[in-house]
Amino acid sequence: MRGAPVGLPAVPEFQTSPGMRDILPPESARWRRFVEVFAGVVERAGYGQVISPLLEDLGVFQRLGEATDVVTKEMYDFVDKGGRHIALRPELTASVCRAFVQHRPVVPWKVWYTGSQFRYEKPQRGRYRQFDQVGVEVLGADDPHLDVEIIALGWEFYAALGLRRVRLLLNSLGEPDDRARYVEALRAHFEAHAEELSAESRATLAKNPLRVLDSKREQDAPVIAAAPRIAQHLSAEAAAHFAAVQAGLDALGIPYTVSDTLVRGLDYYRRTTFEYQGLTLDSAQNALGGGGRYDGLVESLGGPPTHGVGFALGLDRTLLACDDEGVFAPPATAVEVFVVDTTGGLEALRLTSELRAAGISCDRAYEQRSMKSQMKAADRSGAAYAVIVGTDELAAGEVALRPLRSDRGQSAVPRTDLLQHLQKALP
Ligand code: HAM
């Protein structure tokens, strides 16, 4: 490690806030590639990108449910200079539904998105206060095959990244009435066993008995194991929908585990819910992504009754899983050519501009460094060729072309032929 230059403090005065990160090159190139791969998968299935604001009226997110930590505890909200109560988005499903109500697009509306979300959570590996998601939503269609299509798209995306250690969990939370009856049955069960539950789960019980099922605490496991199951509370309609989703996944050969304790953190789900878990990650942060149906959300935002289904996948966490599995490495960002100019720099300025215009990636050194220092920079750049201009070359109207990744020696090339020469030499 290099020490701080004399006179500067070792720790800079300003650093990223807790739970926020700078994504530097070459990692940032991997992030962009991640989104490109995702766009490729979902655009082939007819999804178009929606880009919505980072800020929304607080009310948009309050519709996500008052029993959700994301809304009650984790929101970044403030009053703006116009006196509006605004929040930084904690997720994108609500924004997409708000946009649907505002613009009334033709249904089914199939959209995808990417971007940063903000939640004031306790930062740890895989859990940040600013994190990125990619996701899809479909509004205005009730076909269980759509649930299957969406789940399959997530599955296909993980395969495209090269991830193998992913498990798909599936559940149905039933229609709102089923869910309400089930919540009451759960409440009765957990209240009867309240003294066996952890203090945290007792607090959760008072707000939202469903979320107790999500507890990972050992102390809660026996009470949860003995709890009533959602399957016994599904209406015939919801059970048929769930069976159709499973039949569709079977038809596509996508493996899944039905998990009747999968309730998810957000409150808007009805019928299908699912989660992709990364098997290499710690269980507290192993959800790579998740989603489900949320048929009442558009209505709660002032729109007509509209079916909705979608998912969001966490970019940060998925990349951690990629690291664990040794797949989807940062793409190579090396330039193809490095221009070394010891005649003052004007030739480097012209050459880099010409080569870039012709589609050849190239870089150069600055500040009229020595030949030795420029050659070092050329090596570091990862370029395949150095194009060298010294006083002799300049006078002769030539450049020296030196391969940097092979033992072949350098050759003199007329300045006017350089472009053609490089176009032939580069892959
Ligand atoms: P979510 O489960 O809250 O769902 O988030 C989806 C994914 O975002 C998680 O599985 C996780 O990978 C990632 N994630 C969530 N919080 C954090 C965090 N603090 N740090 C890092 N990654 C995080 C939703 O957001 C729903 N909008 C999904 C959806 C879309 N449902 C229907 N349509």
Side-chain angles (χ1 to χ4, degrees), residues 91 93 113 119 121 126-128 131 133 137 264 266 268-269 287-292 294 310-312 314 317:
E91 60 113 59
T93 311
Y113 51 73
R119 297 183 191 174
E121 296 199 75
R127 190 175 295 278
Y128 310 103
F131 59 94
Q133 290 181 338
E137 311 289 351
R264 315 242 328 109
L266 292 154
Y268 46 59
Y269 294 109
L288 297 178
Y294 48 87
F311 67 58
R317 249 179 233 184

Side-chain angles (χ1 to χ4, degrees), residues 60-290:
V60 171
F61 302 119
Q62 281 171 332
R63 301 298 194 282
L64 295 176
E66 290 297 337
T68 304
D69 280 355
V70 169
V71 175
T72 51
K73 289 198 200 148
E74 298 168 3
M75 203 109 79
Y76 281 86
D77 64 309
F78 62 97
V79 175
D80 76 4
K81 291 183 172 53
R84 295 173 201 88
H85 202 159
I86 299 288
L88 274 171
R89 66 185 183 205
E91 60 113 59
L92 263 156
T93 311
S95 298
V96 167
C97 290
R98 193 264 315 133
F100 178 83
V101 175
Q102 187 172 340
H103 304 290
R104 298 294 168 93
V106 175
V107 295
W109 197 41
K110 296 173 74 170
V111 296
W112 73 272
Y113 51 73
T114 181
S116 294
Q117 323 299 327
F118 302 84
R119 297 183 191 174
Y120 197 83
E121 296 199 75
K122 199 167 160 220
Q124 51 206 291
R125 185 179 193 255
R127 190 175 295 278
Y128 310 103
R129 290 183 176 166
Q130 176 173 347
F131 59 94
D132 273 53
Q133 290 181 338
V134 292
V136 294
E137 311 289 351
V138 180
L139 292 171
D142 190 26
D143 195 326
H145 283 174
L146 203 45
D147 308 33
V148 178
E149 171 175 305
I150 280 180
I151 295 171
L153 285 174
W155 196 253
E156 194 189 322
F157 173 61
Y158 292 127
L161 295 180
L163 277 177
R164 304 177 67 89
R165 309 217 42 217
V166 181
R167 176 167 57 197
L168 168 62
L169 298 182
L170 187 69
N171 193 15
S172 172
L173 292 173
E175 304 289 348
D177 283 354
D178 308 341
R179 186 181 152 139
R181 273 186 285 112
Y182 180 52
V183 168
E184 282 327 303
L186 272 183
R187 190 190 309 279
H189 169 78
F190 288 133
E191 278 175 358
H193 295 87
E195 71 288 354
E196 296 153 54
L197 288 172
S198 62
E200 291 86 347
S201 284
R202 279 201 298 277
T204 310
L205 172 59
K207 285 186 292 179
N208 186 351
L210 263 184
R211 295 284 295 154
V212 177
L213 293 176
D214 216 19
S215 162
K216 307 244 166 32
R217 289 179 197 85
E218 246 172 60
Q219 182 185 347
D220 299 326
V223 187
I224 290 173
R229 307 327 268 187
I230 181 70
Q232 297 140 9
H233 292 80
L234 291 186
S235 62
E237 229 190 339
H241 185 96
F242 194 35
V245 172
Q246 293 179 60
L249 290 173
D250 292 339
L252 296 184
I254 295 177
Y256 57 89
T257 306
V258 173
S259 164
D260 52 14
T261 56
L262 177 71
V263 292
R264 315 242 328 109
L266 292 154
D267 257 352
Y268 46 59
Y269 294 109
R270 297 177 180 182
R271 296 191 274 177
T272 314
T273 57
F274 58 93
E275 198 159 279
Y276 306 98
Q277 290 186 341
L279 298 178
T280 60
L281 299 177
D282 280 355
S283 68
Q285 272 85 239
N286 68 356
L288 297 178

